[in-house]
Amino acid sequence: MASVRFTVTPTKAEDLPGGSDLSPDISLRSGSRVRFESDSANRSDPLSEVSGGVTTTSAGGGADSPDHSSIDQGEGNSKTSSVYINSNHQVDDDDFYDKNLALFEEEMDTRPKVSSLLSRLVNYTNLTQGAKEHEEAESIGEKKKPSKSPQMGTLMGVYLPCLQNIFGVILFLRLTWVVGTAGVLQAFCIVLMCCCCTMLTAISMSAIATNGVVPAGGSYFMISRSLGPEFGGAVGLCFYLGTTFAGAMYILGAVEILLMYIAPRAAIFEGEGAAMLNNMRIYGSIFLLFMALLVFVGVKYVNKLASVFLACVIISILSIYVGALVSAFSVPDFPVCMLGNRTINAHDVVDNHCSKTVMVEKTTHLWKLFCHNAQLNTTCDEYFTSNNFSEIKGIPGLTSGAISENLWSTYLHKGDVLEKRSLHTSQVAHPASDRYPYVFADITTSFTVLVGIFFPSVTGIMAGSNRSGDLKDAQRSIPIGTILAILTTSLVYLSNVVLFGACIEGVVLRDKFGDSVKGNLVVGTLAWPSPWVIVIGSFFSTCGAGLQSLTGAPRLLQAIAKDNIIPFLRVFGHGKANGEPTWALLLTALIAELGVLIASLDMVAPILTILNLQPSFQASLLILPLVLPKTHSLTLSLSLAPPPPDVCSAHLSRSLSFLGMTFCLALMFISSWYYAIVAMVIAGMIYKYIEYQGAEKEWGDGIRGLSLSAARYALLRLEEGPPHTKNWRPQLLVLLKLDEDAHVKSPRLLTFASQLKAGKGLTIVGTVVPGNYLQSYGEALAAEQTLKHLMDKERVKGFCQCIVAQKPRDGISHMIQSSGLGGMKPNTVVMGWPHAWRQSEDPQSWKTFINTVRVTTAAHLALLVPKNISLFPSNSEPCTEGYIDVWWIVHDGGMLMLLPFLLRQHKVWRKCSMRIFTVAQMEDNSIQMKKDLLTFTYQLRIDAEVEVVEMHDSDISAYTYERTLMMEQRCQMLRQMRLSKSDRDREAQLVKDRNSMLRLTSIGSDDEDDTDGADTAGFSVTLRSALTRSFNASHFSSRDHSNVRRMHTAVKLNEVIVNRSHDARIVLLNMPGPPRNTEGDENYMEFLEVLTEGLERVLLVRGGGSEVITIYS
C-alpha cells in the first residue's frame, strides 16, 4: 500500500495572485502553498503551483446560479441530486467504464478510444482510393494644381500631339522596308493588327476618361484610379520608361536622317558599323541636350513649334500620295543596277555605267571591283562572269503591276543579297561575298521581328492623355482627340502599305537605307516634286515627336511622384513655380541618354514595343473590373445628355476589352518573348514594392470591385456543400480579453495563433466590450484599433471583430455564432485559460470559460486552450531543440495529428521533433496498437516517434479520495457566497484546520530517520487505510462515484504525462468535454487542473466532431 505525503510550504499572503485563495488546499489566512505527492506513483517531481499566474482571454460574466443539493430520504437510502459530472448516470459499477478514461466516458460514442480507431486502420488500405470526392474555389494630401499652365483644347492638346508621335520615325524610315520584306499582305496584317490593338486600348481609355475628371497624369491617373495604386504605379513606371525610350528612338531617327540623307559628310567618324554607331551616339546626345533645354524653357514653346512640325508631317504625307498618283503618268528616274538578279550598291557605280565595259575594250569601275583590276583577260568572280548587268526602274509606277510581285514575303538572313526573283540568272552561285558591291541585308528578318519594329509607330496614342494637366476639359478632349488621331493614322498607314507595294520595286523596298538608289530615302523616291520634301519633313517630324515625348514623360513621372505611392520618387514631384517638372525632366533626359547610347533604331524599337504594350494591356484589362462596379454610373451619365465620347462607353462590353487585352498580350510575345518576360518581371517587382513599401491609397479602384465579385463567387461556391477532409484548414477565431486601459491581457495568445497559421488561412481576432452599444461605440472602436495594432505587430493577416454586450459570455456566444460569412466561418476557437480562477472571489471568469466550451461544442467547432500561455515562446525565440509531445487519448477528428504539423511549419517550432503517445487499456494489444499507429503516421507522412503507454487498472488511491474531498469542500464553500466575508473566512479556516493535521502527519512520515522508517511506514499505511475506510464509508457510500473515478483518471493520466513529457517544449492533450449538469462546472475545472499539473506548456485540444486529416491523396 502506498503512502500519501502532504507538503506544506509557508508563503506570504501577498505573494498569492488574486488576493485570498478560496481553494481548500490553501489557507485563506496563512497563505500556505500545498503540494501533493505519492510515493508509489513516483510523484517526486514538483507539480505546478496552484497560485501560478495564468492569463485569460475570455471575459468573465453572467449570472451566478446558486448551487443546491437536495437529498431525498426514503427507506433508508439517500438519493442525492449531485453537482458532479455525469450525475444523471447513477452507476455504481466502476467496471462499466474505463477507470483511466472516465473523464471522456460521456463522449465515447462520438470520440472513440485511440485503440478502437487504430484497430480499423487495416480497413483503410482496402478502401477504394478517392472514395470521397473533392469539394465542389484620392492621392495623399491635397494635389497642387499647376499654376497658370497653358490650357489647351482637343486639337492642340490631344489630336496634334498624337499625330506627331504616331507619324514619327517608323513611317518614313522603316515602313517601306517592312512592306518589301513581309509583302503587302503580311504588312497589311501587321499594320492592321497594331492599329486594332491601339484602337481597343483607346476605347478602353476613353471609357475611363468619360467616367470622371482626369487631372494631371493622364494615362497613369486613369490606370491607377481604376486598377489601384499597385497596378497604377507598376504600369505607370513602365509607360514612363516607354515614353522616355520613345524620345530616344525619335532622336536616333532624326540623327539617322541627318547623317545618311541630309549631310553624310557631317559624320565625325568615317566608315560603317562601329563608326556609324559612334556618330549616332555623339549627335544623339547633342540633339537630346537641345530638346531637353527647349522643354525646360516651357511647354508653351513646344506647343508653338508643334504646328510647324505637324505642317512638315502633313506636307510630307501629301507629297507621298501626290507622287503615287503622278507615277501613274510620269515615272520618276531612279534606276537600279542589277547583276543577274542581284542588286548592286549604287554608291559603287561611280561613273554611272551599269555594265562591264564601255565601248569595246574599256572596262568600268564595277569590272575593277569584281575582277580586282582593269584588264580584260583577268580572272573574275564566277557569278560576275556568268551574268550580265541590267537596269530596272526603282519606281515603276502605280500602273506597272509591281504589286503582284510585292504581295508575298521575302524574309532574309543577315548577309543575304537583295535579289529580284523575276529576273533571269544563269546559275545558282555560291553565296555572295561582302567584298563585292552588292546590297546586303543588315539583320535577320521574320514576321515577329517586323511586328516589334513597326509597333512603336502606333504607340503615340497616349501623348495627349499624358498632358491632361494642360487640357481645359480632359474628360472630353482625350477620347475625341485620341480616337480621331488613331483613325487618321490607321488610314494613312494602311493606304501607304498598298501604295508602296504598287509603286516601288521590291528590291528597293527591301533596301533599308536606299543604297540601290544612290543613298536616297526610299520613301523619298516616291515623293513629289522632290525627295527632299520627305527628307526635310521626316527630319522635323521626328524632332517634333521627340519633343512631345520629352514633354509628356516628365509630367507622367511627376504625377506618380505626387501620389507618393513610391517613396523614393517623391523628390521628382517638385518643379518650378508654374508647375513645370524640373527634376523629372532631368531624370527623363538621363534615361533617354541610355537609349541614345544604344545607337540602333532597330534595337530600341522592340524595347519600346514591350514598354508600350504593357500599359495598353493594362488599360484594356481595367475595363473588365470597371464594367461590373461602375456600369450604373456609366449608364446614368449617358442618360443625362452626355458628350459624344460617352457613345464609346455605352457600347463597351467586357468581350471588347478582353479582345484588346488578348491583342496586347499576343503582340508582346510575338514581338519579343524575352523582352515581354523581363518587362513583366520588372512590373511585378514594382507592384510588390508598392504593396509593401508604398503609401496606402483608397481610390475606389476596379480591382477592389473585382475582388468583391470574386469573393462573392468563391463564397457561393463554398456553400455548395461541406468541405472535404483534404480541404479542411483551421480557420481561427481568437478570443482576447482587454483590461480597463484597452490593453490586451494575453498578447502571446495571438503570437501562438500566428505560429499556428504561419500567415495563411482565415484568422478573426475578437473581443467583447461590456456595456451598451449606443454608449460604448467609442470604446469598441478603440478596442478594434488595439487589436489591429497587435495584429500588425505579430504580422497576423486577418480581421477584427468587436462585440458590445451586457454580459461578456453572451457577447462571446454571439461572436461564435456570427463570425465569418458563408463557407468562410471560423472552425476553430482559440481562448486562454482562466487566470487564477481558484483565487478569484468572482466565479464569472471560469464560468464564462466553461460556457464558451459548451458553446463551441454545440457549434461543432474545434477548441484550442493554451495553458500557461505567458510561457509560450515568442516569434523571436525559436526552439533550437526539444519535443512536441502529442497525447492521443481519444480520437476527435485528428486535430492532435494536424496541429503539430502546422506548428512545425513555423520557424519557432521547426527544429522540434514530434512524439506521439497513446494509452492502452488492459484489454488492448499494445504491440498491435503501436504497429497500427506507425502505419497510420507513415500514411500521413508524419515523422514522429510512437509510443504506447499501458495503464493497468488499479484501486483508487487515498490521494485521489483526498483530492476529491478537497474539491467538494471547496464547492460547499462557494455555495455559501451569500454569507458575509467574515463568515466565509471562518468557514475556510475550519477547513484549513481540519486538513492541517493530515498534512503535518504526512510530513512527519517523510522527515523521520531511516531507523524509524518501519514505524513511520506502518503508521502511514494505517492512516491511509483509515482515511480510505472513512472516505468510502462516511462520504462516498451513498453517492455516485463519478467524481472519484474522474479524479482517478486525471491523477493517473497526469502521472504518466508528467513522467514521459516533463522535458517537452509543448504538450498537446485531449480536452475532456464539459459536464452535462451545469452544477458540476467547478469540479470540471478542478479535473483539468489536476490533469495538467506539473506541465510547463500545455495545449488542450478539443475537436469539432469532423475529420480533419485523411490518408488518401
Side-chain angles (χ1 to χ4, degrees):
M1 304 293 287
S3 64
V4 180
R5 183 175 62 197
F6 304 86
T7 304
V8 181
T9 304
T11 59
K12 295 181 180 179
E14 56 268 21
D15 293 338
L16 297 176
S20 60
D21 185 7
L22 296 181
S23 60
D25 55 328
I26 298 180
S27 173
L28 293 173
R29 292 177 183 155
S30 65
S32 297
R33 190 168 299 174
V34 182
R35 189 168 63 229
F36 301 95
E37 298 181 5
S38 173
D39 293 343
S40 64
N42 192 20
R43 301 178 63 85
S44 59
D45 293 336
L47 301 182
S48 61
E49 296 171 346
V50 177
S51 59
V54 181
T55 58
T56 180
T57 56
S58 59
D64 182 16
S65 57
D67 298 333
H68 301 284
S69 294
S70 59
I71 303 177
D72 298 332
Q73 304 289 342
E75 298 181 0
N77 297 326
S78 63
K79 192 172 184 179
T80 305
S81 176
S82 176
V83 297
Y84 310 137
I85 299 180
N86 199 21
S87 58
N88 55 343
H89 290 277
Q90 303 295 334
V91 180
D92 294 330
D93 185 9
D94 290 346
D95 294 333
F96 185 83
Y97 296 106
D98 289 321
K99 294 178 182 178
N100 295 322
L101 300 179
L103 280 174
F104 306 94
E105 62 189 16
E106 291 184 351
E107 301 172 314
M108 282 295 181
D109 54 340
T110 58
R111 302 171 191 268
K113 293 189 301 182
V114 175
S115 58
S116 302
L117 171 74
L118 295 176
S119 66
R120 298 194 297 267
L121 275 176
V122 179
N123 295 329
Y124 279 31
T125 58
N126 293 332
L127 292 177
T128 304
Q129 294 293 321
K132 293 183 179 180
E133 298 297 331
H134 283 279
E135 180 193 7
E136 308 243 311
E138 277 311 318
S139 54
I140 268 201
E142 187 176 343
K143 263 199 177 183
K144 290 185 179 180
K145 193 174 181 180
S147 316
K148 308 276 185 178
S149 291
Q151 298 295 308
M152 296 173 291
T154 303
L155 181 65
M156 291 294 295
V158 180
Y159 183 73
L160 297 185
C162 286
L163 282 184
Q164 282 186 315
N165 274 30
I166 297 174
F167 287 146
V169 60
I170 301 299
L171 170 64
F172 301 111
L173 295 184
R174 294 294 183 267
L175 184 58
T176 54
W177 174 69
V178 170
V179 174
T181 304
V184 173
L185 294 180
Q186 291 190 26
F188 195 90
C189 290
I190 291 174
V191 174
L192 183 63
M193 203 163 48
C194 295
C195 291
C196 288
C197 179
T198 55
M199 177 59 74
L200 292 172
T201 302
I203 290 175
S204 300
M205 186 177 65
S206 300
I208 305 299
T210 58
N211 203 37
V213 179
V214 182
S219 56
Y220 157 72
F221 178 88
M222 291 183 287
I223 292 176
S224 63
R225 268 57 176 181
S226 298
L227 288 179
E230 294 86 359
F231 274 107
V235 177
L237 279 182
C238 287
F239 186 67
Y240 162 74
L241 293 175
T243 306
T244 304
F245 270 89
M249 184 188 72
Y250 294 132
I251 291 173
L252 290 175
V255 173
E256 182 178 317
I257 294 172
L258 175 67
L259 296 181
M260 299 195 70
Y261 306 114
I262 297 178
R265 295 186 179 182
I268 300 175
F269 302 96
E270 297 295 336
E272 298 181 355
M276 180 55 67
L277 293 180
N278 290 330
N279 289 325
M280 298 281 285
R281 293 185 180 104
I282 293 176
Y283 278 97
S285 300
I286 295 173
F287 273 50
L288 176 61
L289 178 61
F290 278 110
M291 289 184 180
L293 289 175
L294 183 59
V295 174
F296 176 77
V297 171
V299 67
K300 60 182 179 181
Y301 299 105
V302 176
N303 292 330
K304 289 180 180 179
L305 292 174
S307 57
V308 177
F309 294 146
L310 184 62
C312 296
V313 173
I314 294 175
I315 292 174
S316 300
I317 293 174
L318 290 177
S319 69
I320 295 174
Y321 286 105
V322 174
L325 293 176
V326 170
S327 67
F329 309 100
S330 175
V331 177
D333 184 21
F334 288 99
V336 178
C337 183
M338 308 290 294
L339 176 61
N341 64 352
R342 295 179 176 178
T343 308
I344 299 298
N345 191 328
H347 293 291
D348 294 315
V349 188
V350 293
D351 49 8
N352 292 327
H353 290 128
C354 182
S355 60
K356 296 180 180 180
T357 60
V358 180
M359 307 289 287
V360 179
E361 296 182 351
K362 186 179 180 180
T363 59
T364 62
H365 181 69
L366 291 176
W367 179 284
K368 296 179 181 179
L369 293 177
F370 281 97
C371 301
H372 305 295
N373 60 60
Q375 301 300 322
L376 290 174
N377 57 356
T378 189
T379 302
C380 300
D381 177 67
E382 181 182 357
Y383 188 84
F384 175 79
T385 305
S386 305
N387 293 275
N388 294 320
F389 285 100
S390 62
E391 282 190 351
I392 60 175
K393 295 179 179 180
I395 310 295
L398 186 62
T399 58
S400 63
I403 192 172
S404 59
E405 185 178 347
N406 293 331
L407 280 177
W408 315 111
S409 63
T410 308
Y411 295 112
L412 301 173
H413 293 280
K414 183 178 181 179
D416 288 350
V417 178
L418 303 186
E419 297 180 347
K420 181 177 174 62
R421 288 173 294 187
S422 60
L423 284 182
H424 173 73
T425 179
S426 60
Q427 68 178 29
V428 178
H430 55 80
S433 172
D434 56 3
R435 296 179 301 169
Y436 302 120
Y438 296 121
V439 179
F440 297 95
D442 62 330
I443 63 172
T444 300
T445 55
S446 64
F447 183 84
T448 58
V449 169
L450 297 183
V451 170
I453 291 177
F454 175 78
F455 188 83
S457 65
V458 295
T459 56
I461 63 170
M462 300 287 188
S465 63
N466 285 345
R467 304 168 65 188
S468 56
D470 300 323
L471 299 175
K472 291 180 181 178
D473 186 3
Q475 185 178 357
R476 184 175 186 274
S477 297
I478 290 177
I480 292 179
T482 304
I483 292 178
L484 287 181
I486 292 175
L487 290 175
T488 303
T489 54
S490 299
L491 181 62
V492 171
Y493 279 135
L494 293 173
S495 59
N496 279 340
V497 167
V498 177
L499 288 178
F500 291 159
C503 298
I504 304 177
E505 177 59 48
V507 292
V508 178
L509 289 174
R510 290 187 288 278
D511 184 4
K512 182 186 295 184
F513 302 108
D515 292 330
S516 61
V517 286
K518 296 184 179 181
N520 283 294
L521 185 63
V522 174
V523 69
T525 59
L526 184 62
W528 183 91
S530 169
W532 285 101
V533 176
I534 292 291
V535 171
I536 301 299
S538 61
F539 177 76
F540 285 110
S541 172
T542 52
C543 290
L547 283 174
Q548 294 294 338
S549 297
L550 293 178
T551 302
R555 281 162 172 72
L556 178 58
L557 180 61
Q558 185 183 44
I560 298 174
K562 283 186 175 181
D563 271 345
N564 197 28
I565 60 174
I566 304 178
F568 66 84
L569 292 180
R570 192 177 300 127
V571 65
F572 299 106
H574 306 294
K576 294 191 295 185
N578 62 350
E580 292 295 317
T582 307
W583 292 105
L585 176 61
L586 178 61
L587 179 64
T588 301
L590 292 177
I591 296 176
E593 177 64 19
L594 297 179
V596 169
L597 293 178
I598 296 176
S600 173
L601 189 66
D602 297 328
M603 293 180 66
V604 175
I607 300 175
L608 183 59
T609 297
I610 300 300
L611 291 176
N612 281 277
L613 273 172
Q614 192 157 5
S616 300
F617 169 76
Q618 298 290 354
S620 300
L621 175 65
L622 64 86
I623 289 298
L624 296 177
L626 182 71
V627 169
L628 295 174
K630 292 192 177 180
T631 299
H632 297 292
S633 63
L634 291 173
T635 306
L636 180 61
S637 64
L638 279 172
S639 63
L640 300 178
D646 277 340
V647 176
C648 299
S649 301
H651 297 286
L652 189 65
S653 65
R654 281 181 291 176
S655 58
L656 192 63
S657 301
F658 182 78
L659 182 62
M661 180 185 67
T662 306
F663 256 110
C664 293
L665 190 62
L667 285 176
M668 286 175 66
F669 283 91
I670 286 176
S671 58
S672 179
W673 64 268
Y674 42 90
Y675 279 155
I677 293 176
V678 171
M680 287 183 173
V681 170
I682 293 175
M685 293 173 62
I686 298 173
Y687 177 94
K688 299 304 292 185
Y689 175 82
I690 297 174
E691 184 179 21
Y692 285 104
Q693 300 293 335
E696 294 184 1
K697 300 287 183 178
E698 178 51 59
W699 290 328
D701 51 88
I703 289 296
R704 180 63 61 88
L706 185 62
S707 299
L708 292 174
S709 300
R712 172 183 171 275
Y713 172 78
L715 287 173
L716 292 176
R717 284 291 305 274
L718 291 177
E719 284 291 294
E720 293 179 1
H724 190 275
T725 302
K726 287 183 286 187
N727 295 327
W728 196 94
R729 299 292 184 274
Q731 315 292 357
L732 300 183
L733 171 60
V734 184
L735 300 178
L736 297 180
K737 186 176 182 179
L738 305 180
D739 58 18
E740 291 138 1
D741 298 328
H743 295 149
V744 178
K745 285 190 174 182
S746 303
R748 283 290 173 89
L749 202 62
L750 194 57
T751 304
F752 173 74
S754 68
Q755 295 168 3
L756 184 64
K757 297 294 292 181
K760 301 175 182 178
L762 173 68
T763 301
I764 298 178
V765 181
T767 188
V768 176
V769 176
N772 183 278
Y773 180 73
L774 298 178
Q775 300 173 353
S776 304
Y777 177 71
E779 297 179 15
L781 290 180
E784 187 173 345
Q785 291 301 318
T786 300
L787 295 181
K788 288 183 178 179
H789 177 72
L790 182 60
M791 292 175 68
D792 292 339
K793 180 180 178 182
E794 298 295 338
R795 296 184 178 180
V796 174
K797 301 292 185 180
F799 309 95
C800 295
Q801 185 169 6
C802 187
I803 298 291
V804 180
Q806 294 290 349
K807 299 179 181 179
R809 65 177 172 184
D810 291 341
I812 293 176
S813 176
H814 297 159
M815 187 180 300
I816 291 175
Q817 295 178 62
S818 61
S819 295
L821 180 64
M824 289 300 291
K825 285 182 173 292
N827 54 29
T828 304
V829 176
V830 181
M831 59 185 291
W833 181 259
H835 172 67
W837 66 275
R838 284 173 170 167
Q839 290 85 359
S840 176
E841 292 186 1
D842 184 9
Q844 300 309 316
S845 176
W846 57 266
K847 286 191 175 183
T848 300
F849 173 81
I850 297 179
N851 182 73
T852 305
V853 177
R854 287 196 175 97
V855 171
T856 55
T857 303
H860 300 289
L861 302 179
L863 178 64
L864 306 180
V865 181
K867 197 166 181 286
N868 300 334
I869 186 65
S870 60
L871 301 179
F872 277 55
S874 66
N875 288 330
S876 60
E877 301 171 351
C879 300
T880 56
E881 58 182 356
Y883 294 98
I884 298 176
D885 282 1
V886 176
W887 282 86
W888 198 15
I889 301 172
V890 294
H891 178 67
D892 56 355
M895 283 290 290
L896 287 172
M897 297 290 107
L898 179 63
L899 293 176
F901 171 79
L902 297 176
L903 284 175
R904 292 175 65 188
Q905 305 305 307
H906 196 272
K907 63 180 181 179
V908 171
W909 305 96
R910 187 167 297 148
K911 294 184 179 180
C912 291
S913 301
M914 182 176 171
R915 295 189 301 193
I916 302 176
F917 299 91
T918 189
V919 177
Q921 303 300 311
M922 285 294 295
E923 67 274 11
D924 297 326
N925 186 341
S926 59
I927 298 177
Q928 185 61 38
M929 282 182 63
K930 185 171 184 179
K931 291 181 180 179
D932 294 342
L933 187 54
L934 286 171
T935 303
F936 189 44
T937 55
Y938 173 77
Q939 291 171 339
L940 290 175
R941 297 177 300 280
I942 294 177
D943 183 17
E945 300 177 18
V946 173
E947 186 172 347
V948 177
V949 179
E950 296 182 353
M951 294 184 64
H952 302 291
D953 289 338
S954 61
D955 294 334
I956 299 176
S957 64
Y959 175 78
T960 301
Y961 284 114
E962 175 68 12
R963 292 302 297 264
T964 308
L965 176 61
M966 288 188 296
M967 177 181 68
E968 292 179 351
Q969 288 173 340
R970 187 175 187 277
C971 228
Q972 292 173 5
M973 291 174 58
L974 291 177
R975 292 194 189 100
Q976 300 175 12
M977 291 296 292
R978 294 183 181 180
L979 299 177
S980 63
K981 188 177 186 301
S982 60
D983 293 336
R984 293 202 305 271
D985 291 344
R986 191 180 308 111
E987 179 87 11
Q989 182 62 32
L990 290 175
V991 174
K992 179 243 180 184
D993 294 339
R994 194 171 91 182
N995 292 325
S996 294
M997 181 182 66
L998 296 175
R999 288 197 293 269
L1000 291 173
T1001 303
S1002 177
I1003 293 172
S1005 66
D1006 284 334
D1007 293 339
E1008 293 293 330
D1009 295 334
D1010 293 339
T1011 57
D1012 300 329
D1015 295 338
T1016 302
F1019 177 78
S1020 300
V1021 170
T1022 304
L1023 175 62
R1024 195 191 74 81
S1025 302
L1027 286 173
T1028 304
R1029 288 194 301 270
S1030 174
F1031 293 154
N1032 287 336
S1034 63
H1035 192 74
F1036 297 105
S1037 59
S1038 60
R1039 297 191 178 188
D1040 179 27
H1041 285 194
S1042 59
N1043 275 354
V1044 180
R1045 290 186 292 103
R1046 283 167 170 75
M1047 184 61 74
H1048 178 69
T1049 296
V1051 170
K1052 294 288 289 183
L1053 282 177
N1054 179 259
E1055 290 176 356
V1056 175
I1057 294 173
V1058 171
N1059 184 38
R1060 303 298 181 93
S1061 300
H1062 62 274
D1063 60 342
R1065 292 289 183 177
I1066 185 173
V1067 176
L1068 281 71
L1069 179 64
N1070 285 112
M1071 181 178 182
R1076 292 192 177 102
N1077 189 343
T1078 58
E1079 294 181 353
D1081 286 355
E1082 190 181 6
N1083 298 339
Y1084 174 68
M1085 296 295 295
E1086 190 69 33
F1087 293 145
L1088 294 181
E1089 281 284 7
V1090 174
L1091 184 64
T1092 57
E1093 276 181 346
L1095 299 174
E1096 189 177 36
R1097 302 183 189 95
V1098 183
L1099 179 62
L1100 295 173
V1101 180
R1102 183 166 173 79
S1106 59
E1107 293 290 333
V1108 301
I1109 57 173
T1110 179
I1111 62 175
Y1112 301 120
S1113 59

